[in-house]
């Protein structure tokens, strides 16, 4: 284990260490790489001239499996962990921070969730005079504004309560719904606790009541001038800018105990059908401009509306990197992990992304840092707004924040000007400054651009998770989310900022080799569909037609295939277990990887091709944060939820049926042939599917058996289950039809 110790004279604010066991890992790497090369050598020297197309497809799949495995090793070569020392920070040196929160749809992202997230962020253990909050409502909804307004009122009681009793976590919904062992005892605390809880429940009730009637009560509308914006109907896709200052900082507005409150500004940028609004990237760029106008803090953190703060010290942990006396000048942004609450014990859908944030992202710390993950990220405003890193200039974190007296009415007027849908015309927003446009995953794209400009990033993972969010709790939303991610990532690979471009390989801000490998692995996610589809279609169809695509059991090359298959799974399992996972969690993760590979990634490739042909545009699909109670019960029992007749289900269902059918038919044929062989002459045996052929088909039987076992929840959802989460009949019928078609075509052309 290599430890980089700080000099006592420097008073470093963080230290770093590399993970142990690197020697053993590198031995595994060399052995596995040798196995891949050997397998490809076998394919090249054993061309199946009688079935050249099948040979080519299976070789292509194995080559791509090998390439993606090699790229993935960039994460595993030298995992590096950082430890921060926030206790060394001087309060007077804490830099101002602007907090940007995004929401877009009050139906999929309920206003009550937005309010709780906002309240958790507003109660950081940080100087409130140095915090300003900006919430972007891209849905232009009075229900969301109503929730934010009520949150601003409740915050005047909640913030002093959190500070007085050191509450954790500081999302009131989470805090009041769980018994906190850290809460103090005593009658005075209980009285204040009950009082604050009653206020919170009243706020929640008002938010939910407005949601039910789809309107804000007249008595509430009269409380704030901002509600007049909705005196006439506001179309979410066609309306003028709405800017409302709900809390004025600089000591103007105070809490219930007379302490200053942070600024809180509601923003709904202008939308017009004739102008492209650039989805979340456009919303964050608008917030960036508004925040620069009003507070202009040197640091900017953006958080999704469903990711509440779970650690009141998180900002202090991040600031350690920006103020570190040795490394701060290199750092463009600090990325916290995305963590999720409500995940089942064995992470049914793999949405806890444990492998990414608890294994792989630590590996990026050795290669100039992690990619930008879109939420829980603190940017140096200068780096985000286009400044390139210059290794010859050790720039300090400059405080250019706007302080002193403000004319809040004038600021609202000016903020409307920078949030018009035409403001960016002729300006470098989205191309040279701010979040980048041109990808459905604007976050990763932006991070790649910043790294290409020479900036480093840091993966900051304090012991207490910084944020907790809501992950999809059904199969369809999970597949849709990964379709959006993989589509955007593939667009990045095909863009001018491709990780393997000449500029990134040899340019002034060239990326490290490990960094190129990590970015390439993620941006090529979508192409996993190709080897997965080949392996799920070609071997079973060849098998059912008596065609062997792999060496016999008695062939020494058979051992290479078995070694690569078993060792890759054992390594993957061991890695997850070391990250405090479970065997069933790994099993669920593997199943979901197969489902995403044959569904999400396949659809993303199709979308990318259609977009390139000008036939279709990739959009930004929001996964729902609304959870049906019955579906939630099934989720907690770890029953996969299908329910909707989604086209996303058809490819994986078809393939699961195909492999089950081919496996069953082949096994029956082999057993029948073996029984009959006792009564057949040797000549007749040569024409039957006997023992010799069975030895040649073992690997194909294993592959189809593996896929069939992984698909057990699918078979149950199609046949055995009668609840609302079962597989829709129409999906089953379509899948059976496709399966029959594939089997028929194979019997004709193979």
């Amino acid at each position: 284990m290599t430890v980089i110790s700080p000099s006592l004279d420097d008073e470093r604010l963080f230290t770093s260490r590399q993970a142990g066991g690197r020697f053993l890992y590198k031995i595994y790497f060399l052995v596995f790489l040798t196995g891949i090369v050997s397998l490809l050598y076998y394919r090249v020297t054993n061309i199946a001239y009688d079935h050249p197309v099948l040979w080519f497809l299976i070789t292509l799949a194995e080559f791509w499996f090998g390439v993606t495995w090699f790229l993935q090793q960039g994460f595993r070569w030298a995992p590096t962990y950082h430890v921060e020392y926030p206790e060394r920070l001087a309060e007077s040196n804490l830099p101002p921070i602007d907090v940007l929160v995004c929401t877009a749809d009050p139906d999929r992202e309920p206003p009550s969730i937005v309010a709780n997230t906002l309240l958790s962020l507003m109660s950081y253990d940080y100087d409130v005079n140095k915090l300003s909050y900006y919430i972007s409502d891209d849905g232009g909804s009075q229900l969301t504004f109503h929730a934010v307004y009520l949150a601003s009122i409740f915050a005047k009681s909640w913030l002093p309560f959190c500070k007085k009793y050191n509450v954790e976590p500081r999302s009131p919904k989470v805090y009041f719904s769980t018994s906190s062992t850290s809460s103090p005892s005593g009658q005075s605390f209980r009285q204040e606790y009950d009082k604050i809880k009653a206020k919170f429940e009243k706020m929640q009730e008002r938010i939910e009541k407005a949601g039910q009637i789809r309107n804000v009560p007249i008595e509430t509308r009269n409380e704030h001038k901002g509600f007049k914006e909705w005196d006439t109907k506001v179309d979410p896709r066609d309306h003028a800018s709405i800017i409302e200052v709900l809390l004025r900082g600089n000591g103007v507005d105070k809490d219930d105990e007379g302490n200053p409150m942070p600024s809180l500004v509601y923003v709904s940028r202008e939308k017009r059908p004739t102008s492209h609004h650039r989805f979340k990237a456009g919303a964050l760029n608008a917030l960036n401009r508004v925040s620069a106008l009003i507070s202009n803090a040197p640091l900017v953190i953006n958080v999704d509306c469903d990711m509440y703060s779970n650690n009141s010290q998180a900002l202090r942990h991040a600031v350690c990197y920006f103020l570190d006396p040795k490394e701060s000048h290199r750092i463009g942004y600090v990325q916290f992990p995305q963590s999720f609450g409500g995940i089942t014990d064995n992470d049914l859908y793999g949405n806890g992304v444990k492998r990414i944030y608890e294994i792989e992202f630590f590996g990026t710390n050795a290669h100039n840092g992690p990619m930008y993950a879109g939420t829980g990220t603190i940017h140096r405003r200068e780096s985000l707004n286009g400044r390139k890193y210059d290794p010859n200039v050790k720039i300090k974190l400059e405080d250019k924040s706007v302080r002193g007296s403000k004319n809040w009415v004038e600021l609202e007027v000016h903020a409307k000007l920078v949030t018009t849908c035409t403001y960016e015309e002729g300006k470098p927003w989205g191309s040279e400054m701010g979040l980048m446009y041109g990808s459905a995953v604007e976050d990763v794209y932006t991070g790649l651009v910043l790294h290409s400009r020479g900036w480093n990033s840091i993966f900051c993972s304090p012991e207490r998770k910084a944020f907790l969010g809501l992950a999809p709790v059904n199969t369809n939303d999970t597949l849709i989310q990964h379709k959006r991610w993989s589509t955007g990532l593939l667009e990045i690979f095909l863009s001018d900022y491709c990780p393997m471009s000449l500029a990134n390989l040899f340019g002034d801000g060239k990326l490290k080799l490990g960094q190129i490998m990590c970015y390439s692995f993620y941006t090529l996610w979508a192409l996993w569909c190709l080897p997965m589809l080949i392996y799920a279609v070609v071997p079973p169809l060849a098998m059912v037609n008596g065609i062997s695509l792999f060496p016999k059991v008695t062939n020494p090359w058979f051992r290479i295939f078995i070694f690569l298959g078993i060792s890759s799974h054992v390594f993957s399992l061991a890695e997850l277990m070391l990250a405090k996972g479970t065997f069933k969690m790994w099993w669920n993760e593997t199943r979901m990887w197969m489902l995403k590979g044959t569904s999400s990634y396949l659809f993303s490739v199709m979308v990318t091709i259609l977009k390139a042909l000008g036939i279709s545009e990739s959009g930004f699909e929001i996964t729902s944060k609304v959870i049906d109670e019955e579906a939630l019960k099934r989720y907690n029992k770890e029953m996969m939820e299908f329910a909707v007749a989604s086209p996303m289900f058809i490819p994986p269902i078809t393939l699961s049926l195909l492999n089950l059918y081919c496996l069953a038919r082949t096994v029956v044929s082999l057993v029948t042939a073996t029984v009959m062989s006792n009564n057949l002459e040797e000549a007749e045996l040569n024409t039957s599917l006997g023992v010799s052929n069975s030895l040649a088909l073992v690997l194909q039987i294993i592959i189809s058996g593996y896929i069939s076992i992984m698909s057990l929840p699918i078979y149950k959802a199609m046949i055995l289950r009668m609840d609302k989460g079962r597989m829709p009949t129409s999906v089953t019928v379509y899948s059976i039809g496709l399966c029959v078609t594939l089997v028929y075509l194979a019997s004709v052309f193979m």
Side-chain angles (χ1 to χ4, degrees):
M1 180 185 296
T2 302
V3 179
I4 305 171
S5 301
S7 166
L8 294 177
D9 296 329
D10 289 340
E11 273 299 297
R12 295 290 304 280
L13 295 176
F14 74 94
T15 55
S16 306
R17 67 175 178 85
Q18 284 189 2
R22 292 303 87 199
F23 178 72
L24 292 176
Y25 161 75
K26 289 171 184 178
I27 291 176
Y28 163 79
F29 171 82
L30 291 173
V31 172
F32 199 89
L33 182 61
T34 302
I36 291 175
V37 173
S38 300
L39 183 150
L40 294 176
Y41 174 79
Y42 166 80
R43 287 297 184 195
V44 172
T45 56
N46 290 269
I47 299 174
Y49 292 103
D50 49 344
H51 299 289
V53 174
L54 300 184
W55 172 87
F56 174 77
L57 288 174
I58 206 73
T59 303
L60 178 64
E62 289 162 355
F63 171 77
W64 193 247
F65 278 136
V67 168
T68 51
W69 175 87
F70 179 77
L71 294 176
Q72 194 177 32
Q73 302 319 297
F75 299 106
R76 287 151 177 81
W77 194 256
T80 302
Y81 304 91
H82 300 309
V83 178
E84 308 85 31
Y85 303 102
E87 67 277 3
R88 296 180 182 176
L89 292 169
E91 291 293 319
S92 59
N93 290 339
L94 292 177
I97 300 176
D98 287 343
V99 183
L100 315 182
V101 183
C102 284
T103 184
D105 186 337
D107 294 321
R108 288 181 171 267
E109 299 168 335
S112 60
I113 290 178
V114 178
N116 275 279
T117 295
L118 185 60
L119 287 164
S120 72
L121 298 169
M122 291 179 69
S123 49
Y124 274 123
D125 182 9
Y126 207 86
D127 184 353
V128 295
N129 293 304
K130 296 182 178 181
L131 293 175
S132 299
Y133 295 84
Y134 302 85
I135 180 158
S136 168
D137 175 18
D138 246 17
S141 170
Q142 65 170 328
L143 299 178
T144 300
F145 177 75
H146 173 243
V148 175
Y149 165 67
L150 294 182
S152 71
I153 297 174
F154 178 67
K156 295 180 179 180
S157 301
W158 179 242
L159 268 61
F161 176 77
C162 290
K163 184 177 180 180
K164 183 176 181 180
Y165 295 108
N166 195 26
V167 165
E168 204 77 87
R170 297 192 174 181
S171 162
K173 182 177 182 180
V174 179
Y175 178 73
F176 289 124
S177 63
T178 58
S179 55
S180 177
T181 56
S182 61
S183 297
S185 57
Q187 186 174 1
S188 60
F189 165 75
R190 177 50 58 180
Q191 289 176 343
E192 194 163 353
Y193 174 94
D194 291 340
K195 179 181 176 182
I196 298 295
K197 184 178 181 181
K199 284 186 177 182
F200 168 70
E201 289 174 346
K202 184 177 180 181
M203 180 195 79
Q204 287 283 88
E205 184 180 343
R206 292 176 68 182
I207 293 173
E208 290 170 4
K209 183 178 179 181
Q212 290 170 359
I213 64 175
R214 309 295 295 178
N215 202 354
V216 178
I218 188 64
E219 59 270 18
T220 305
R221 298 177 70 87
N222 293 331
E223 293 177 12
H224 194 280
K225 67 178 181 62
F227 287 105
K228 292 183 180 179
E229 297 282 357
W230 287 272
D231 283 347
T232 57
K233 185 178 179 181
V234 174
D235 188 328
R237 295 173 293 276
D238 189 5
H239 66 84
S241 295
I242 303 172
I243 312 290
E244 293 294 334
V245 177
L246 292 167
L247 288 174
R248 298 163 296 175
N250 294 352
V252 178
D253 286 323
K254 300 183 183 297
D255 64 28
D256 291 349
E257 295 187 0
N259 303 310
M261 294 289 287
S263 302
L264 173 59
V265 182
Y266 170 91
V267 178
S268 185
R269 61 191 170 125
E270 183 183 25
K271 291 276 196 71
R272 300 300 178 196
T274 55
S275 298
H276 198 313
H277 56 81
R278 306 293 183 180
F279 307 110
K280 183 181 174 181
L284 281 172
N285 283 341
L287 279 193
N288 188 342
R289 296 192 291 272
V290 172
S291 66
L293 177 70
I294 296 176
S295 50
N296 199 33
L299 298 179
V300 178
I301 179 172
N302 75 277
V303 183
D304 287 348
C305 68
D306 63 327
M307 298 289 292
Y308 70 85
S309 170
N310 185 60
N311 184 343
S312 62
Q313 300 289 317
L315 294 185
R316 293 175 179 268
H317 282 270
V319 163
C320 286
Y321 297 101
F322 290 108
L323 296 182
D324 182 74
K326 185 177 180 181
E327 297 292 333
S328 61
H329 64 288
R330 302 174 183 271
I331 298 169
Y333 63 90
V334 172
Q335 178 65 58
F336 288 104
Q338 289 189 30
S339 304
F340 299 92
I343 298 292
T344 62
D345 291 341
N346 298 300
D347 196 2
L348 178 61
Y349 297 113
N351 285 328
V353 286
K354 192 177 185 72
R355 190 173 298 277
I356 293 177
Y357 289 108
E358 296 186 31
I359 298 174
E360 293 179 346
F361 262 38
F362 286 112
T364 64
N365 275 333
H367 313 305
N368 293 343
M371 62 186 63
Y372 170 25
T375 182
T377 316
I378 301 185
H379 285 275
R380 184 191 298 267
R381 192 186 290 270
E382 288 181 311
S383 69
L384 187 61
N385 285 353
R387 180 167 183 167
K388 292 185 177 181
Y389 170 70
D390 186 345
N392 299 315
V393 179
K394 287 197 172 185
I395 59 171
K396 293 184 178 180
L397 191 68
E398 295 184 71
D399 183 0
K400 297 180 180 179
S401 57
V402 181
R403 301 186 187 181
S405 59
K406 299 178 183 179
N407 186 323
W408 294 96
V409 175
E410 285 188 9
L411 286 174
E412 286 183 355
V413 174
H414 291 156
K416 288 184 179 181
L417 297 177
V418 301
T419 54
T420 62
C421 57
T422 58
Y423 179 83
E424 294 182 354
E425 292 180 1
K427 299 181 179 67
W429 288 96
S431 58
E432 298 177 22
M433 63 187 300
L435 273 79
M436 298 293 106
Y437 301 151
S439 170
V441 285
E442 70 295 317
D443 42 15
V444 179
Y445 193 12
T446 302
L448 177 57
V449 171
L450 294 182
H451 282 140
S452 299
R453 291 173 181 165
W455 292 102
N456 287 4
S457 58
I458 290 287
F459 185 54
C460 177
S461 184
E463 185 175 353
R464 182 179 179 90
K465 296 182 184 298
F467 299 94
L468 287 176
L470 297 174
V473 293
N474 63 69
T475 313
N476 189 50
D477 277 356
T478 299
L479 296 178
I480 287 175
Q481 185 181 67
H482 280 266
K483 186 193 82 171
R484 175 169 63 82
W485 289 349
S486 54
T487 301
L489 290 167
L490 185 57
E491 288 172 344
I492 294 172
F493 190 84
L494 299 174
S495 75
D496 292 338
Y497 280 94
C498 171
M500 294 184 180
S501 68
L502 293 177
N504 283 327
L505 287 169
F506 307 109
D508 294 336
K510 65 180 180 180
L511 305 181
K512 286 186 175 182
L513 175 61
Q515 200 171 16
I516 292 171
M517 291 170 65
C518 293
Y519 266 115
S520 297
F521 175 76
Y522 282 139
T523 54
L524 290 172
W525 254 3
L527 297 190
W528 267 97
C529 71
L530 301 178
M532 284 191 177
L533 284 171
I534 291 172
Y535 249 66
V537 172
V538 175
L541 288 177
M543 174 179 67
V544 84
N545 286 283
I547 301 170
S548 173
L549 298 175
F550 299 92
K552 292 182 179 182
V553 176
T554 53
N555 189 323
W557 287 105
F558 178 86
R559 299 169 192 171
I560 294 293
F561 287 87
I562 289 296
F563 165 75
L564 291 175
I566 293 177
S567 62
S568 62
H569 282 69
V570 169
F571 182 87
S572 173
L573 173 60
E575 193 175 50
L576 197 63
M577 297 290 278
L578 288 173
K580 299 180 181 179
T582 66
F583 176 83
K584 197 169 182 180
M585 183 183 294
W586 169 79
W587 188 257
N588 289 336
E589 178 191 68
T590 306
R591 177 192 296 115
M592 287 308 302
W593 188 249
M594 291 169 59
L595 284 175
K596 289 179 290 190
T598 55
S599 178
S600 304
Y601 302 159
L602 172 62
F603 277 89
S604 68
V605 169
M606 293 168 60
V607 167
T608 303
I609 293 172
L610 292 175
K611 183 179 179 181
L613 296 174
I615 299 174
S616 175
E617 283 290 324
S618 56
F620 190 96
E621 298 165 286
I622 302 171
T623 51
S624 178
K625 309 304 184 295
V626 181
I627 304 174
D628 175 76
E629 288 299 322
E630 290 299 317
L632 184 60
K633 289 179 182 178
R634 291 191 291 271
Y635 174 68
N636 289 329
K637 293 179 181 177
E638 299 204 334
M639 297 172 63
M640 294 187 73
E641 187 81 6
F642 296 94
V644 296
S646 171
M648 302 289 289
F649 297 153
I650 294 176
I653 305 307
T654 300
L655 296 176
S656 67
L657 290 172
L658 176 68
N659 278 272
L660 181 63
Y661 168 78
C662 292
L663 175 67
R665 182 172 163 183
T666 301
V667 170
V668 169
S669 298
L670 288 173
V671 171
T672 303
T674 302
V675 171
M676 291 177 62
S677 67
N678 295 324
N679 303 316
L680 291 176
E681 295 295 331
E682 186 175 348
E684 293 175 305
L685 265 174
N686 291 333
T687 63
S688 70
L689 197 62
V691 176
S692 179
N693 235 4
S694 67
L695 294 176
L697 295 176
V698 166
L699 276 174
Q700 284 157 267
I701 292 172
I702 290 174
I703 291 169
S704 286
Y706 177 73
I707 293 173
S708 298
I709 292 172
M710 281 288 182
S711 302
L712 285 176
I714 293 174
Y715 303 143
K716 290 180 181 178
M718 286 191 294
I719 302 170
L720 301 178
R721 286 172 54 181
M722 300 305 295
D723 55 78
K724 292 182 179 179
R726 70 187 304 273
M727 186 70 68
T729 303
S730 59
V731 173
T732 302
V733 171
Y734 278 123
S735 300
I736 291 174
L738 279 173
C739 178
V740 171
T741 302
L742 287 172
V743 171
Y744 171 74
L745 291 175
S747 67
V748 173
F749 295 105
M750 280 190 177

